[in-house]
Amino acid sequence: MRALVDHHGRSFPYLRLSLTEACNYRCTYCLPDGYQADGSPKFLALDEIERLVRGFAALGMSKIRLTGGEPSLRKDLPAIIAAVAAVAGVRRIALTTNGCRLPRLVRGWREAGLTALNVSLDSLDAARFLAITGHDRFAEVSAGIEQALGLGFDAVKVNVVLLRGRNDDELPAWLEYLRERDLAVRFIELMQTGDNREFFERHHLRAESLQQQLLAAGWQLRERAADAGPALEYAHPDYRGRIGVIAPYARDFCAGCNRLRVTARGDLRLCLFGNFGIPLRPLLQSDDDHDALVARIAVQLGLKAAGHGLHEGLTGITPHLASIGG
Ligand code: SAM
């Protein structure tokens, strides 16, 4: 088997696949005016997704994250999960969701083969949650997380984007939340994208101050697994839950990159903030193109840059994360 390794010695067991660009939230840092479709885009269909995943699995990909947009807006999500789970070599299937449909749907996703769940919840305060997301769905999301905790997932994680002046005083509440719950809360440093420059300048907060608070309170950094996501994970003997910190502006963040992305339209994106996408869709129309697909992915990996240009404010062709799959 050929392995997904680039010129910088990084290997890529982890694929993030966007299932749709559509989202029903209006997060202030992502889609403040809501999702606006350009024309009537056709996102990858189930058979295209199966071929795509078989191609990546042939190159050693073993963990896939389904994301968006909001992936739960796809009615065929359980069928997609089941199809991905059936591909030889895929051992872990994770989903990132805004969580508002969890109470109705999460059991079905688990039964279809989902192994891990990430739920976005930017505040533990319902009014703040509404102000940040534009949706009054705090109750559903929190109830959905409780339900997910009883379904035997390998991991349940909660994503919180750190926002200066909006939710940056909530660490004590999150610690209380983690005391008895077997989940990880991951604080994500706000990233600048093509569309959110002004918001970013007002609300960006470096994750380092949070890491210092955690270390001072006795939280300890844990070792990172080869197919782990971008978070540095901290644990504390008095707490059942764990804390992850994703700091994309930290030095060496890209050195640990083990992820490739494919957009909902079937473009391979080598970096969240890259300047180009590589169309894979033409090679997803027939099983006969499997070898050509594998070859195209392997060749393109040689072009993956050592790091993103975010420090220079270079956000590539990413207007917002919903467009590429966050
Ligand atoms: N709709 C799903 C959700 O809400 O989790 C999946 C897609 S969303 C783009 C994935 C994650 O990216 C969410 O946790 C979201 O908060 C985060 N995100 C979006 N824009 C971001 C930005 N500019 N900086 C940091 N995180 C961002």
Side-chain angles (χ1 to χ4, degrees), residues 29-30 67-70 96-98 120 159 161 188-191 193 196 321-322 326:
Y29 48 82
C30 189
T67 181
E70 175 46 41
T96 303
T97 174
N98 64 27
S120 300
N159 286 355
V161 179
I188 307 174
E189 193 174 321
L190 179 67
M191 289 175 263
T193 58
N196 75 0
L321 261 53

Side-chain angles (χ1 to χ4, degrees), residues 76 139 191 224 252 284:
D76 57 353
M191 289 175 263
R224 192 171 175 271
D252 281 348
L284 301 177

Side-chain angles (χ1 to χ4, degrees), residues 23 25-26 31-36:
C23 189
Y25 274 25
R26 293 194 301 271
L31 291 173
D33 302 320
Y35 167 65
Q36 323 279 337

Side-chain angles (χ1 to χ4, degrees), residues 197-211:
R197 182 172 175 178
E198 209 187 307
F199 185 92
F200 175 84
E201 280 167 6
R202 244 179 300 133
H203 298 291
H204 175 238
L205 182 68
R206 292 302 296 253
E208 273 131 37
S209 59
L210 179 76
Q211 287 166 298

Side-chain angles (χ1 to χ4, degrees), residues 16 18 20 22-25 27 29-31 65-72 95-99 118-122 158-163 186 188-193 196 199-200 246 248-249 272-273 319-326:
R16 301 176 78 118
S18 175
T20 177
C23 189
N24 53 339
Y25 274 25
C27 294
Y29 48 82
C30 189
L31 291 173
R65 174 172 302 284
L66 305 175
T67 181
E70 175 46 41
S72 68
L95 177 81
T96 303
T97 174
N98 64 27
N118 282 44
V119 184
S120 300
L121 183 62
D122 286 334
V158 173
N159 286 355
V160 183
V161 179
L162 273 176
L163 300 170
R186 292 149 36 110
I188 307 174
E189 193 174 321
L190 179 67
M191 289 175 263
Q192 186 185 339
T193 58
N196 75 0
F199 185 92
F200 175 84
I246 300 181
Y249 293 89
L272 186 51
F273 296 102
H320 44 70
L321 261 53
S323 68
I324 177 174

